[in-house]
Amino acid sequence: QVQLVESGGRLVQPGGSLRLSCAASGSISSINAMDWYRRAPGKQRELVATITSNGSTNYADSVKGRFTISRDNVKNTMYLQMNSLKPEDTAVYYCNAYISIATSPYEYSYWGQGTQVTVSS
């Protein structure tokens, strides 16, 4: 059994910063690509940022220069540092990871439960 648990979401003022965490646990053999997604009220889910197992990153245009994705492969944890936050960043943020488990040669996609980020004055 594999679990992803996000944390760090809260209410923050425009221009503020937050750091989200996503911790993976369970019978993990290896973690490949990891992503942050978000879903704003009334909108479709959006891919925010991706990080590969070797640390290559990619960002949505809407967050480039403001958000930084990173990971700690020893702790099986991914982070999203969010700076210069805007009201339009308000959303539930989800982590996704492609994980190989100890009992299978295949990798599977796992999702966290989401953490709410609200940017408002």
Side-chain angles (χ1 to χ4, degrees):
Q1 186 76 358
V2 172
Q3 278 193 318
L4 296 182
V5 178
E6 301 104 331
S7 61
R10 61 175 175 85
L11 172 65
V12 63
Q13 291 191 339
S17 297
L18 277 180
R19 188 172 87 150
L20 305 183
S21 299
C22 170
S25 62
S27 301
I28 296 170
S29 177
S30 64
I31 301 178
N32 301 306
M34 303 181 79
D35 313 297
W36 285 101
Y37 284 81
R38 66 185 180 186
R39 187 190 297 273
K43 295 188 176 181
Q44 290 192 335
R45 186 179 63 191
E46 175 188 20
L47 176 60
V48 175
T50 297
I51 186 165
T52 64
S53 57
N54 64 5
S56 296
T57 60
N58 226 332
Y59 298 92
D61 288 342
S62 57
V63 307
K64 275 181 185 175
R66 300 188 298 123
F67 290 11
T68 302
I69 189 172
S70 61
R71 61 192 285 173
D72 183 329
N73 292 330
V74 173
K75 296 182 179 179
N76 287 341
T77 300
M78 173 177 64
Y79 306 97
L80 187 67
Q81 177 66 43
M82 305 187 294
N83 299 328
S84 302
L85 282 161
K86 304 175 181 180
E88 51 263 44
D89 295 318
T90 295
V92 179
Y93 284 72
Y94 299 89
C95 65
N96 172 247
Y98 295 87
I99 296 175
S100 297
I101 62 176
T103 57
S104 172
Y106 304 109
E107 67 176 30
Y108 300 92
S109 173
Y110 293 89
W111 290 86
Q113 82 288 351
T115 186
Q116 176 71 48
V117 172
T118 303
V119 185
S120 175
S121 55

